[in-house]
């Protein structure tokens, strides 16, 4: 077995084979499969450095979403408080019904108390009904803002981000948003209420009998300790399942999108096996999770049940020795029943709090990335008089360890107003050059000049608005031809559209289509040829 300390996930243990599978990438005649180890040791200098400033996505930040719906939230809190106060009367009603009503055989009194109880039940039901509707409204609104903020962040990241992150990973992080939102709207609230519930009923219990309260508290401590034991394991499972789900998303996408290729190459079985292997992995993980959660809840139930029996025994003893009246015993039982609700909802809360926290950490990995165009940075948004492009000693290698420079020491001038074609063998860096000119990458050495200005100072979004580009593997949206050509324009300028189609030599083709520019393309539209797609 191999132990790995991962700062994000804690201590991990891998089987030797699984570890070698990923780590040992080279074959060695003498030692079999080997990998590379990088050993780093901090010098004294390291500890003098100030750490990087973190700009973390914290709960305070997240709770601003709650703040947006503060009006509705106040109503929910109000309704919770009212329900709670109404429920507070139940134990006392029960006590007087038994001690006064039954003991004095006063039927009228009993009926009165029961009618009061009925009224209370009806009121709490109505209030619950209204509250649930409010909560759904709040939760919808928060989901919307949480997700659209995430999309805003995703669209502000440098384009190169998408080259290093797989689709499945990004999709899985959208799931993380849901976890955080569900915690905010569901659990967080329920828990505040449960806590209040817990405190007030505890006070009532202390009032009835202090000894009972002590037994109750000891039981709960044990219960909490038991839950705590499992949190670490759950954290690990959470990360494992995130990675697996991201892989599963990727595999599913590949199966759907690559079906034609798969069929052509007779790769159905292999690709399906790959998918099934991931499924087997997540099946194992589910079983593992199930084992732990069953163990956890079995232990919790035992502790809880044991505690309740001890309490019942003590109460019965007190009634026998005359320390408590019969009615008070029923009331105490009711109070304890009310207390165990919050306690067990606490179990769920602790877990979903941790899950939400992990999700938040993962979202943070995205939120703490720098925007392509930081707001506080003033970037140029106008073109210089001379628009000649000049490369000076340009060297570029793709981000990632061990990538050799693709472009090395390029000196080149692309004069304004002329047509320049760049020709080269496949893989020589033509597309790379164009991507640099579209500001998709900016970690190049040397300089690019626009006239006299430095290319780095131009705002990427402004610059791209001045550029028209069709890359090798353009993407066709599920939309009409017109909207596919004028991507990003709300109102399409027909004259420009026709002009550009004319230039691209595709106008006559579009005119032969029955729906012309309104023809739907993409997944649920008509197909077009590769050449037509590029044009
Ligand atoms: N995202 C990437 N990460 C790492 N290396 C890359 C990446 N994209 C391209 N390369 C490498 O950069 C080199 C140049 O690629 P580029 O796409 O610019 O070639 P090209 O001249 O456009 O070729 P073609 O004519 O085949 O389109 C290639 O050797 C390729 O392996
Ligand atoms: Mg190319």
């Amino acid at each position: 077995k191999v132990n790995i300390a991962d700062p994000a996930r804690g201590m991990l243990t891998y089987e030797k084979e699984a570890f070698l599978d990923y780590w040992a990438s080279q074959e060695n005649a003498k030692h079999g499969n080997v990998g590379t180890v990088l050993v780093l040791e901090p010098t004294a200098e390291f500890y003098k450095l100030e750490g990087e400033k973190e700009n973390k996505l914290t709960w305070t930040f997240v709770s601003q979403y709650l703040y947006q719906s503060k009006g509705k939230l106040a109503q929910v809190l109000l309704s919770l408080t009212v329900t709670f106060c109404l429920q507070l009367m139940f134990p006392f009603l029960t006590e007087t019904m038994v001690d006064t009503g039954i003991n004095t055989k006063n039927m009228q009194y009993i009926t009165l108390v029961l009618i009061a109880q009925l009224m209370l039940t009806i009121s709490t039901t109505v209030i619950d009904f209204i509250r649930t509707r409010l909560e759904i409204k709040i939760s919808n609104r928060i989901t919307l803002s949480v997700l659209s903020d995430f999309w805003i962040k995703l669209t502000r990241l440098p384009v190169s981000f998408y080259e290093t992150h797989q689709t499945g990973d990004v999709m899985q992080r959208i799931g993380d948003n849901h976890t955080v939102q569900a915690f905010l709207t569901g659990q967080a609230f329920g828990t505040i209420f449960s806590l209040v519930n817990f405190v007030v009923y505890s006070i009532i219990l202390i009032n009835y009998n202090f000894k009972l309260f002590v037994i109750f508290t000891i039981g709960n401590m044990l219960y909490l300790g038991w839950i705590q034991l499992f949190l670490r394991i759950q954290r690990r499972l959470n990360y494992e399942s995130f990675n697996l789900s991201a892989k599963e998303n990727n595999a599913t996408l590949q199966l759907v999108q690559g079906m034609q290729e798969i069929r052509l190459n007779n790769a159905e079985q292999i690709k399906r096996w790959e998918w099934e292997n991931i499924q087997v992995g997540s099946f194992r993980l589910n079983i593992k999770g199930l084992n732990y959660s069953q163990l956890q809840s079995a232990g919790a139930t035992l502790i809880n049940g044991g505690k309740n029996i001890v309490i019942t025994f003590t109460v019965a003893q007190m009634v026998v020795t005359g320390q408590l009246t019969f009615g008070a015993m029923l009331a105490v039982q009711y109070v304890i029943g009310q207390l165990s609700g919050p306690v067990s909802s606490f179990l769920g809360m602790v877990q979903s709090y941790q899950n939400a926290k992990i999700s938040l950490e993962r979202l943070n990995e995205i939120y703490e990335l720098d925007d392509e165009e930081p707001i506080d940075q003033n970037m140029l948004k106008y073109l210089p008089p001379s628009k000649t492009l000049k490369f000076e000693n340009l060297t570029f290698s793709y981000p990632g360890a061990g990538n050799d420079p693709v472009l090395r020491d390029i000196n080149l001038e692309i004069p304004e107003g002329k047509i320049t074609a760049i020709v080269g063998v496949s893989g020589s860096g033509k597309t790379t050059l164009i991507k640099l000119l579209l500001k998709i990458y900016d970690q190049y050495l040397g300089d690019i000049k626009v006239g006299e200005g430095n290319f780095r100072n131009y705002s990427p979004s402004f610059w791209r608005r001045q550029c028209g580009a069709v890359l090798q593997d353009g993407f066709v949206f599920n939309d009409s031809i017109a909207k596919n050509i004028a991507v990003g324009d709300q109102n399409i300028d027909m004259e420009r559209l026709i002009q550009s189609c004319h230039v691209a030599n595709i106008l006559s083709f579009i005119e032969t289509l029955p729906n012309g520019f309104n023809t739907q393309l993409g997944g649920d539209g008509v197909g077009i040829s590769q050449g037509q797609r590029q044009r």
Side-chain angles (χ1 to χ4, degrees), residues 80-94 120 124 192-210 212-214 216-217 220 311 330-343:
L80 281 173
T81 320
V82 173
T83 317
F84 178 65
C85 293
L86 292 178
Q87 274 175 352
L88 269 187
M89 292 189 236
F90 275 105
F92 299 106
L93 284 177
T94 311
L120 284 183
T124 51
I192 295 176
F193 182 56
S194 293
L195 268 181
V196 177
N197 225 328
F198 185 79
V199 170
V200 176
Y201 276 111
S202 298
I203 293 172
I204 299 180
L205 188 60
I206 294 177
N207 255 329
Y208 271 114
N209 196 292
F210 188 69
L212 285 177
F213 176 74
V214 173
F216 183 76
T217 311
N220 284 336
I311 289 179
L330 288 182
V332 166
Q333 290 290 11
Y334 176 85
V335 168
I336 288 173
Q338 288 294 313
L339 274 169
S340 60
V343 171

Side-chain angles (χ1 to χ4, degrees), residues 163 398-399 403 406 424-433 435 441 472:
E163 298 212 335
Y398 277 98
N403 279 340
V406 173
V425 294
S426 172
S428 55
K430 302 177 298 291
T431 305
T432 309
L433 200 71
K435 282 189 176 166
Y441 298 100
Q472 260 158 315

Side-chain angles (χ1 to χ4, degrees), residues 24-50:
S25 50
Q26 298 141 348
E27 285 241 24
N28 183 309
K30 220 161 87 200
H31 304 288
N33 289 344
V34 293
T36 311
V37 177
L38 176 66
V39 184
L40 298 173
E41 200 177 343
T43 59
E45 205 56 29
F46 174 81
Y47 297 100
K48 288 187 202 140
L49 291 174
E50 243 179 76

